Amino acid sequence: MASQDNVSRSEAPNASDSRIALAKVALVTGITGQDGSYLTEFLLQKGYEVHGLIRRSSNYNTQRINHIYVDPHNANKARMKLHYADLSDASSLRRWLDVIKPDEVYNLAAQSHVAVSFEIPDYTADVVATGALRLLEAVRSHMADNGRNIKYYQAGSSEMFGSTPPPQSETTPFHPRSPYAASKCAAHWYTVNYREAYGLYACNGILFNHESPRRGENFVTRKITRALGRIKVGLQTKLFLGNIQASRDWGFAGDYVEAMWLMLQQEKPDDYVVATEESHTVEQFLEVSFGYLGLSWKDHVEIDKRYFRPTEVDNLKGDASKAKEALKWKPKVGFEQLVKMMVDEDLEMAKREKVLVDAGYIDAQQQP
């Protein structure tokens, strides 16, 4: 498990001195998130040295990457290193670019929850939109001052399309319906501008919804599978949701990080939609997940209007033909396989939780 002390030691100015000879070096913002953890695994398998930027927090949030963390004192094995920085702090971004000297930069960090962005719009815009601009400018100035070339990946979102009818491709007009989506649109166009104005190798990956057992528990798919596991073992009886008629193009995050990497391996930078090209409603997700465990979702799910957004996005379905042709990429995990993968993981988690509850070590904190 990564310790705060180990991270601070990796912040020494010679943090990049021990890099493996000839290995490519990647800098990943948002490394502790779902996508960051899968991307780091992928890059390490490719032989990269990976540096991740993490925010200071009183709670050490490295659960998704603890299994691949190696103490930096073990220089022969520690090919992932962590450093404190923030997209709201331009000086920290430039400082670590100068120290790490990456070949590739993947900007995955964001306040990524759509519903939450309505509650903290200023913060969302500062991190998602202006944060991307800060990082782009840090990359540009570092390259200009050091005579280096860096390839840059910007994480976009299908939410940028908003109310534009599906299928949505790279040429589909954006119509964002939340502060998060509008901020992602700004980050997208900042990236295009830096590519055109400065010749920066910069790509936008417009990724449609991608899920996994590592998805945050307040996102609807993981909220469902987490609650389902607890319902199955008797720790919970009800699940409260909002608009279950909303339709999304859901894929597996582990598949999508390969597309990110492929974008930066092309001769020229470009923008790509990454999607399964299938759309399913939240209700269909409920049917597959609850049915897999022999339950009826109608016996446990209640609609709560507090989970409806001020402006809803009804249907997102990607057209990934460009990525399939240019990147030779296609998803490996289908919808039902993804749902069952998440249910299996969360059922095991619920069983472990049940053991602790029955032994009196933790409070069930049971919902209605």
Side-chain angles (χ1 to χ4, degrees):
M1 179 176 179
S3 71
Q4 188 165 351
D5 185 44
N6 286 337
V7 174
S8 64
R9 282 198 293 267
S10 76
E11 290 179 344
N14 62 353
S16 62
D17 289 350
S18 62
R19 70 178 52 178
I20 298 173
L22 303 179
K24 279 189 175 181
V25 178
L27 176 62
V28 180
T29 72
I31 193 171
T32 59
Q34 169 189 248
D35 293 5
S37 65
Y38 282 113
L39 178 63
T40 299
E41 288 176 343
F42 180 87
L43 293 175
L44 290 174
Q45 290 172 359
K46 291 286 183 182
Y48 279 67
E49 178 179 314
V50 181
H51 293 258
L53 301 186
I54 64 173
R55 291 175 298 160
R56 165 72 176 95
S57 172
S58 58
N59 293 318
Y60 206 63
N61 182 28
T62 58
Q63 298 93 330
R64 294 184 179 98
I65 56 174
N66 281 335
H67 65 291
I68 51 177
Y69 180 84
V70 177
D71 190 297
H73 287 102
N74 194 342
N76 293 327
K77 293 184 178 181
R79 292 191 294 118
M80 178 189 74
K81 299 178 175 67
L82 305 176
H83 316 282
Y84 286 123
D86 199 295
L87 288 180
S88 65
D89 181 359
S91 63
S92 68
L93 302 176
R94 175 58 196 270
R95 171 170 167 256
W96 284 118
L97 283 166
D98 290 343
V99 171
I100 296 165
K101 297 180 174 60
D103 301 296
E104 299 172 359
V105 171
Y106 295 85
N107 184 26
L108 311 184
Q111 188 303 98
S112 59
H113 199 283
V114 175
V116 172
S117 75
F118 285 100
E119 299 184 27
I120 50 172
D122 290 14
Y123 174 77
T124 300
D126 184 48
V127 172
V128 178
T130 310
L133 178 60
R134 292 186 187 104
L135 184 56
L136 281 162
E137 177 59 19
V139 168
R140 183 204 65 78
S141 61
H142 168 81
M143 288 172 55
D145 292 345
N146 294 277
R148 302 186 64 252
N149 290 319
I150 294 176
K151 293 184 176 182
Y152 177 91
Y153 171 82
Q154 172 61 39
S157 169
S158 59
E159 289 287 330
M160 299 188 299
F161 295 116
S163 60
T164 305
Q168 295 103 355
S169 71
E170 295 83 1
T171 59
T172 302
F174 297 143
H175 190 152
R177 300 271 284 173
S178 67
Y180 168 75
S183 299
K184 279 294 186 184
C185 285
H188 175 97
W189 288 117
Y190 285 141
T191 303
V192 171
N193 179 249
Y194 269 66
R195 183 170 68 213
E196 295 177 350
Y198 304 112
L200 187 67
Y201 190 111
C203 298
N204 284 296
I206 308 173
L207 274 57
F208 279 65
N209 293 63
H210 43 291
E211 317 297 317
S212 76
R214 300 179 193 175
R215 188 58 142 156
E217 292 186 21
N218 59 347
F219 288 82
V220 67
T221 52
R222 186 77 197 290
K223 181 178 179 181
I224 291 171
T225 59
R226 184 75 175 95
L228 174 56
R230 299 183 91 244
I231 289 169
K232 184 66 176 179
V233 300
L235 293 177
Q236 188 172 329
T237 59
K238 293 295 182 182
L239 168 61
F240 298 91
L241 297 173
N243 179 17
I244 64 172
Q245 298 309 315
S247 186
R248 295 291 185 270
D249 185 328
W250 278 305
F252 173 52
D255 289 343
Y256 284 35
V257 298
E258 180 184 13
M260 299 177 188
W261 176 78
L262 285 169
M263 291 178 205
L264 299 193
Q265 312 314 308
Q266 306 306 304
E267 183 178 349
K268 295 181 180 179
D270 208 343
D271 306 323
Y272 300 90
V273 161
V274 180
T276 69
E277 300 184 324
E278 295 181 7
S279 188
H280 300 272
T281 63
V282 175
E283 183 175 349
Q284 288 175 306
F285 195 102
L286 287 167
E287 289 172 351
V288 173
S289 58
F290 274 77
Y292 180 50
L293 294 188
L295 299 173
S296 171
W297 67 268
K298 294 180 180 178
D299 294 334
H300 301 280
V301 174
E302 293 188 13
I303 304 301
D304 188 335
K305 290 185 177 180
R306 79 182 68 184
Y307 296 119
F308 283 79
R309 301 166 185 170
T311 44
E312 289 283 343
V313 174
D314 296 322
N315 193 357
L316 296 175
K317 180 181 178 182
D319 174 0
S321 54
K322 181 178 177 181
K324 289 181 178 179
E325 180 178 352
L327 305 179
K328 309 303 180 187
W329 176 89
K330 62 179 181 180
K332 300 179 181 70
V333 177
F335 175 70
E336 291 200 9
Q337 184 182 355
L338 171 64
V339 175
K340 293 175 181 179
M341 176 198 306
M342 295 177 67
V343 171
D344 286 339
E345 289 281 342
D346 280 329
L347 179 59
E348 289 304 310
M349 180 180 289
K351 289 177 179 178
R352 293 193 296 270
E353 184 181 0
K354 180 76 160 55
V355 171
L356 295 174
V357 170
D358 290 345
Y361 287 111
I362 62 173
D363 189 327
Q365 298 180 333
Q366 188 169 346
Q367 301 182 29

